[in-house]
Amino acid sequence: MRQPGAPLPYAESRPLSIERLSLAPPGRDEVLVRIAAAGLCHSDLSVINGDRPRPSPMALSHEAAGVVQALGDGVSDLAIGDHVVMVFMPSCGHCLPCSEGRPALCGPGAAANVAGTLLSGDRRLSDDAGVFHHHLGCSAFASHAVVSRRSLVKVDSDLPLHEAALFGYAVLTGVGAVVNTANVKAGQTVAVVGLGGVGLAAVLGAVAAGASQVIAIDMLEDKLTLARALGATTTIAAGADAAGQVRALTNGGCDVVLEMAGSVRALESAVAMTRRGGTTVTAGLPRPMPRWQSTSLRWSPRSVR
């Protein structure tokens, strides 16, 4: 992607191009990975359309798995041939959030992601005109990638790599929201608003956590069908009455509602589905807006985490 914000339809504006880039060898604490599978996440689309500002030119993709091909100096806990999953937030292991066991909030990792660099601050991609930026430290829409060791998790070699790739973002985010952020307990009622890859992973997480009701909400019937196959106890078509239906099904609202659509309307609906004293968790990424515009959200007096 050389420039974000291309006009729709993308079939005509062509915001992405397939090009040959030079890839420098891994530096210290870095690893060369041969990409086996990479997913297209809505976060990639948010960079393409400009909703999530990132420096350009940039090689995209942050949900991937592959095989280790070469090791930089200092990497001693991986071997050539290991299967690895990329994660979209490198964790330095030393800052306050990392020391508290909250690596997803790593300060140096967040700074590197915003700058379009690896955790070291370096860039390993270039062409004759200059350097290319890395997307969330991964840039996996490629045959190979150099990434920080802190952006990789080793996985068993018998796990198919096209499935392992989903654990780098969709499963990590959706199940993580259920288990770590919301701390869903057996017997609680859970609703999931928005059934993309992250939302469907949240459905799986709620089922695994032992929720007594798992209510899935989306606009598309095929996603609702898939949610039922994954264990959702009830599905509801998104619309003006969705919150009312959830409250009726749960005697006043769910214990936990997870908003995974990334829109203000979905977040408002999620809050309205949450029982008094319950928890609303959002993992969606709406377009950034000035602080004064945030007052357009119509909050209800329920707790929001």
Side-chain angles (χ1 to χ4, degrees):
M1 181 196 72
R2 291 188 172 274
Q3 185 65 41
L8 295 171
Y10 289 155
E12 296 178 5
S13 62
R14 300 282 182 172
L16 301 183
S17 58
I18 298 175
E19 303 180 21
R20 184 177 294 275
L21 301 179
S22 296
L23 182 63
R28 183 169 185 83
D29 297 324
E30 294 174 356
V31 180
L32 173 66
V33 178
R34 175 178 59 80
I35 305 298
L40 174 64
C41 174
H42 200 284
S43 297
D44 295 301
L45 297 176
S46 295
V47 173
I48 293 170
N49 68 17
D51 280 356
R52 308 305 298 179
R54 290 289 185 267
S56 59
M58 173 175 280
L60 294 180
S61 184
H62 58 286
E63 183 181 62
V67 180
V68 172
Q69 299 289 287
L71 304 171
D73 290 342
V75 180
S76 59
D77 57 345
L78 290 176
I80 294 174
D82 281 348
H83 288 198
V84 289
V85 171
M86 296 183 179
V87 293
F88 63 94
M89 175 60 78
S91 52
C92 71
H94 306 294
C95 68
L96 179 60
C98 285
S99 64
E100 292 177 332
R102 307 178 74 189
L105 299 179
C106 176
N113 282 357
V114 170
T117 70
L118 302 182
L119 186 60
S120 63
D122 292 324
R123 300 173 182 86
R124 303 300 180 199
L125 292 165
S126 64
D127 66 3
D128 291 340
V131 299
F132 269 67
H133 297 85
H134 298 263
H135 186 211
L136 302 182
C138 298
S139 292
F141 283 158
S143 61
H144 295 77
V146 168
V147 301
S148 169
R149 171 63 185 90
R150 297 286 187 167
S151 294
L152 296 174
V153 176
K154 181 180 175 181
V155 296
D156 291 340
S157 59
D158 58 353
L159 178 64
L161 287 168
H162 69 282
E163 296 177 4
L166 297 174
F167 285 83
Y169 189 88
V171 175
L172 185 73
T173 306
V175 176
V178 172
V179 175
N180 297 323
T181 305
N183 192 24
V184 171
K185 296 179 173 59
Q188 288 189 310
T189 56
V190 176
V192 179
V193 182
L195 301 176
V198 175
L200 290 169
V203 169
L204 284 171
V207 172
S212 60
Q213 293 186 65
V214 180
I215 304 171
I217 300 102
D218 199 274
M219 296 185 295
L220 300 179
E221 181 57 39
D222 60 342
K223 292 186 176 183
L224 297 175
T225 300
L226 182 52
R228 288 192 291 270
L230 294 177
T233 57
T234 307
T235 56
I236 296 174
D241 190 41
Q245 293 183 62
V246 171
R247 289 196 297 268
L249 284 166
T250 56
N251 192 29
C254 284
D255 297 306
V256 175
V257 181
L258 301 115
E259 185 277 312
M260 304 298 188
S263 76
V264 171
R265 181 177 298 178
L267 180 55
E268 290 177 334
S269 182
V271 173
M273 297 173 188
T274 307
R275 70 165 176 83
R276 182 178 176 85
T279 300
T280 305
V281 175
T282 178
L285 290 175
R287 183 182 181 90
M289 56 186 174
R291 184 181 298 274
W292 64 268
Q293 288 184 343
S294 65
T295 58
S296 64
L297 281 170
R298 298 187 296 276
W299 298 106
S300 70
R302 298 179 174 89
S303 73
V304 178
R305 182 183 302 167

